[in-house]
Amino acid sequence: MSREMIRGIIAFACGGLMAFSFIVLLQYLVGLVSRLFIWLRWDRQKHINGRREHHNQKMESFAYAVNGLSDAFFAMSQPKQKMLTEEVRVLEQELTGKMCASCDSCSICWNENRMRSLGGIRALLHAVLNRSTKEELLLDPYVKNCHRYEGMVDEALQAFGRLELNYAWYNRLRENRYVIAQQLDAMAGVVEEWAKVRTNIDEKSKGLLSQIVFQAQEKSLLVEDLHIYEDDKRLCVEGYVRCKWNGGIPAKHYVAAVERALHKPMRMGKESKTILTQEPEFISLYEDTKYYGLQGIATEKKNGSFINGDSFSFFVMDDGNYHICLSDGMGSGARASQESEMVVDLLQKFIEAGFRKEIAIKLMNSAMVLQGEENSFSTLDYAMIDLYTGQLELIKIGGAATFIKRGSQVEMICDGTLPTGADAHMEIESVKKRLGNGDFLVMLTDGVIEYLHVRNPKETLMDIIGSVQTDNAGVLAEKILQEVLIRTGGHAMDDMTVLVTGIWEK
């Protein structure tokens, strides 16, 4: 090999090394400039945060005012104390004015026999108040020797009928005031939630912010107005992201950049776009959950019915909570389906709007109460699973028993209280359990249990659930329903729904 060739190779290697060094230096300078930009922008961001705090204070004041209005409606919804003595006295004057004033024997009854006549009329009114019938009142007259006694009885019955109607209207008005108070209280609670400031850790995470910007630039993405928040020691990254050059870059590239900068698995918020363009898109990234959930569904409509009256819903929120709603409408068919669907739909909308689960359930119940149709009630089974910890919270309102399957072991959670829409003064009680990897939550409607032709249907159902060996939630739901139908002779005497939710570690 000649000296010229050796010199050429050395010159080429040196040139390549210098080019590589230049690229590394350029990347370092870009990262340094990005970090410097984040630091310089911090003072400006403090001013923006100050304005946000002022806005939050105004929201808190608004929530306080709405809370006061709610308290006023709660005070107006207190039950009215019946003043029976005063009301009987008013009715007594009304009765004597109509029946005795125009009677020819008035002077005899109210002069010579005043106390006896007055005592008889009062006894008559108290008898009507105690639900005596007209026949009973005429059989043993309370006012002796009165030739207008039958008319007096009719008038007393009509007067008490009007009094009961007034009480019914008053109670309905009181109930509506209570429902309005609940809704105002819920609105105040939501405003208070919005006013809560998440812990902004930008100041102590400037290095992480610059790393995110740098890693995003490596993938031809630009990030603006970037912030890091901490909630229950879980990180949330928010910012506006756009493409540096032409668009069409998948958002998962930005997720990968943030994961590389934070050294944590991240997930995108529900409203985030999946494809990025040169137009800035607001993207929220959340620290990923420990668990994920999969559901299985098995249904059977009542024999002779064209539609299943049960309704259900599964949805996951950005806070990592997995929500399950199951409602059984009164009766079967289209009307039952409409009622149960309204329960599930209202509850999901309230939770997605930011209401706490207890408030969302009360609002949904108040809406059902205001609907006002007689015998129009639906049950509700609601479950929320925290996919970070596996914590289960279960609320049952008139629902059937719920089961937790851990391998071959099965635990039963007992039935709930009154159905939704039955009482505006409904109290919310929850049961908390811890779920682990491979555990199943089994929720079902009354039709699955009530028509099992066995002595102890709940214990039989526990045996059925424990005997199914599968890691598939859909298979478990189908097997449970099949075994139940075998024991009912293949007949569905009511709508049947089985929901199974399994959680696994990622």
Side-chain angles (χ1 to χ4, degrees):
M1 184 180 293
S2 64
R3 289 183 176 180
E4 288 75 10
M5 290 182 65
I6 294 173
R7 288 173 181 172
I9 292 172
I10 293 173
F12 179 79
C14 290
L17 182 61
M18 290 179 65
F20 177 74
S21 301
F22 177 75
I23 292 173
V24 171
L25 179 62
L26 183 63
Q27 287 182 335
Y28 175 76
L29 290 174
V30 169
L32 186 62
V33 170
S34 298
R35 292 177 178 89
L36 181 62
F37 175 73
I38 295 292
W39 278 71
L40 291 175
R41 196 175 59 181
W42 178 248
D43 287 337
R44 173 177 168 269
Q45 187 58 42
K46 281 185 177 179
H47 176 65
I48 294 173
N49 288 339
R51 287 188 297 175
R52 286 177 179 169
E53 288 178 5
H54 177 68
H55 176 68
N56 290 334
Q57 288 174 358
K58 293 179 68 176
M59 291 182 70
E60 288 176 354
S61 298
F62 176 76
Y64 180 78
V66 174
N67 250 327
L69 186 59
S70 170
D71 292 341
F73 271 92
F74 272 124
M76 289 189 292
S77 67
Q78 295 305 309
K80 180 181 178 182
Q81 299 297 326
K82 293 185 179 181
M83 294 179 289
L84 295 179
T85 303
E86 182 179 342
E87 288 172 350
V88 168
R89 190 170 300 163
V90 171
L91 290 179
E92 172 192 315
Q93 294 175 356
E94 180 182 341
L95 189 62
T96 54
K98 285 186 177 181
M99 303 303 300
C100 299
S102 59
C103 179
D104 296 336
S105 304
C106 179
S107 58
I108 299 174
C109 295
W110 291 97
N111 287 332
E112 299 176 5
N113 302 309
R114 176 180 177 81
M115 297 307 298
R116 187 178 63 183
S117 300
L118 184 60
I121 291 176
R122 288 179 179 175
L124 169 63
L125 292 175
H126 281 289
V128 174
L129 181 64
N130 292 326
R131 306 290 179 179
S132 296
T133 64
K134 181 178 180 179
E135 290 73 18
E136 293 172 340
L137 297 172
L138 292 177
L139 185 63
D140 185 15
Y142 289 91
V143 183
K144 305 297 183 182
N145 303 321
C146 178
H147 64 276
R148 306 188 70 176
Y149 179 72
E150 185 174 353
M152 189 178 292
V153 170
D154 292 335
E155 189 64 35
L157 291 171
Q158 292 177 14
F160 270 98
R162 292 193 298 271
L163 183 62
E164 287 185 339
L165 182 61
N166 289 338
Y167 270 117
W169 278 110
Y170 175 80
N171 288 332
R172 185 63 176 173
L173 177 62
R174 182 178 59 83
E175 192 174 72
N176 289 344
R177 286 171 177 169
Y178 184 82
V179 170
I180 293 172
Q182 281 188 322
Q183 293 172 345
L184 289 171
D185 194 41
M187 187 169 66
V190 170
V191 175
E192 287 175 351
E193 289 291 325
W194 290 342
K196 286 182 180 178
V197 182
R198 293 176 297 175
T199 304
N200 186 302
I201 59 172
D202 288 352
E203 187 170 6
K204 66 179 182 181
S205 305
K206 293 179 182 179
L208 294 177
L209 291 171
S210 60
Q211 279 292 333
I212 293 172
V213 172
F214 176 71
Q215 294 294 339
Q217 287 176 346
E218 288 290 291
K219 297 182 179 296
S220 300
L221 297 171
L222 296 177
V223 187
E224 301 170 352
D225 198 19
L226 184 65
H227 304 285
I228 300 180
Y229 299 95
E230 190 176 50
D231 184 12
D232 294 331
K233 298 182 179 180
R234 303 165 190 162
L235 295 183
C236 171
V237 178
E238 292 182 352
Y240 288 88
V241 187
R242 62 182 177 89
C243 297
K244 188 185 297 185
W245 314 118
N246 294 328
I249 297 179
K252 64 182 181 181
H253 289 185
Y254 173 62
V255 178
V258 176
E259 288 180 336
R260 187 171 181 181
L262 300 181
H263 304 290
K264 291 178 179 290
M266 305 295 289
R267 58 186 173 88
M268 293 182 63
K270 292 174 60 179
E271 304 299 327
S272 300
K273 295 288 184 69
T274 56
I275 300 296
L276 300 174
T277 65
Q278 288 184 295
E279 289 293 324
E281 295 289 349
F282 183 77
I283 294 183
S284 298
L285 297 183
Y286 301 88
E287 189 174 337
D288 204 3
T289 59
K290 179 181 178 180
Y291 300 97
Y292 68 95
L294 292 176
Q295 65 272 4
I297 305 162
T299 64
E300 183 70 29
K301 59 181 179 291
K302 181 180 178 180
N303 290 345
S305 181
F306 294 99
I307 188 172
N308 193 318
D310 304 333
S311 298
F312 54 86
S313 174
F314 301 89
F315 58 100
V316 183
M317 298 295 288
D318 286 338
D319 59 4
N321 285 321
Y322 189 95
H323 302 266
I324 311 151
C325 307
L326 174 62
S327 179
D328 182 1
M330 181 72 73
S332 61
R335 181 176 177 182
S337 175
Q338 182 181 5
E339 295 293 334
S340 62
E341 185 177 352
M342 181 183 297
V343 169
V344 171
D345 187 52
L346 282 174
L347 183 58
Q348 180 171 346
K349 286 180 177 177
F350 285 135
I351 291 176
E352 289 179 337
F355 291 87
R356 295 194 301 272
K357 56 186 178 299
E358 296 86 1
I359 294 176
I361 291 174
K362 286 186 176 181
L363 281 176
M364 177 275 300
N365 181 68
S366 65
M368 300 299 291
V369 170
L370 288 176
Q371 187 178 230
E373 292 187 21
E374 190 176 357
N375 297 326
S376 178
F377 307 127
S378 299
T379 67
L380 173 66
D381 271 5
Y382 167 78
M384 184 184 76
I385 303 173
D386 186 339
L387 295 179
Y388 286 101
T389 63
Q391 179 73 43
L392 163 69
E393 188 166 1
L394 184 66
I395 297 175
K396 304 178 69 60
I397 304 175
T402 296
F403 304 87
I404 297 175
K405 175 177 169 63
R406 298 183 176 92
S408 59
Q409 301 297 316
V410 180
E411 179 183 357
M412 181 175 65
I413 301 173
C414 294
D415 306 13
T417 55
L418 291 173
T420 62
D423 185 10
H425 301 262
M426 181 180 62
E427 294 297 327
I428 304 297
E429 296 181 358
S430 64
V431 177
K432 294 183 179 180
K433 299 288 182 179
R434 182 60 62 91
L435 300 180
N437 183 46
D439 289 347
F440 291 100
L441 176 68
V442 181
M443 303 168 68
L444 39 85
T445 54
D446 287 337
V448 179
I449 295 181
E450 287 185 351
Y451 297 98
L452 277 174
H453 300 317
V454 292
R455 178 172 295 179
N456 297 309
K458 293 178 182 177
E459 293 181 5
T460 300
L461 198 55
M462 291 176 67
D463 294 337
I464 292 173
I465 295 171
S467 65
V468 180
Q469 301 300 317
T470 181
D471 290 331
N472 188 303
V475 171
L476 178 57
E478 290 290 345
K479 289 287 187 180
I480 292 172
L481 188 59
Q482 288 174 9
E483 291 295 325
V484 168
L485 287 173
I486 289 173
R487 287 163 173 78
T488 61
H491 299 290
M493 305 303 293
D494 193 4
D495 297 320
M496 297 182 177
T497 299
V498 180
L499 301 186
V500 176
T501 303
I503 69 167
W504 288 268
E505 291 183 1
K506 292 185 176 179

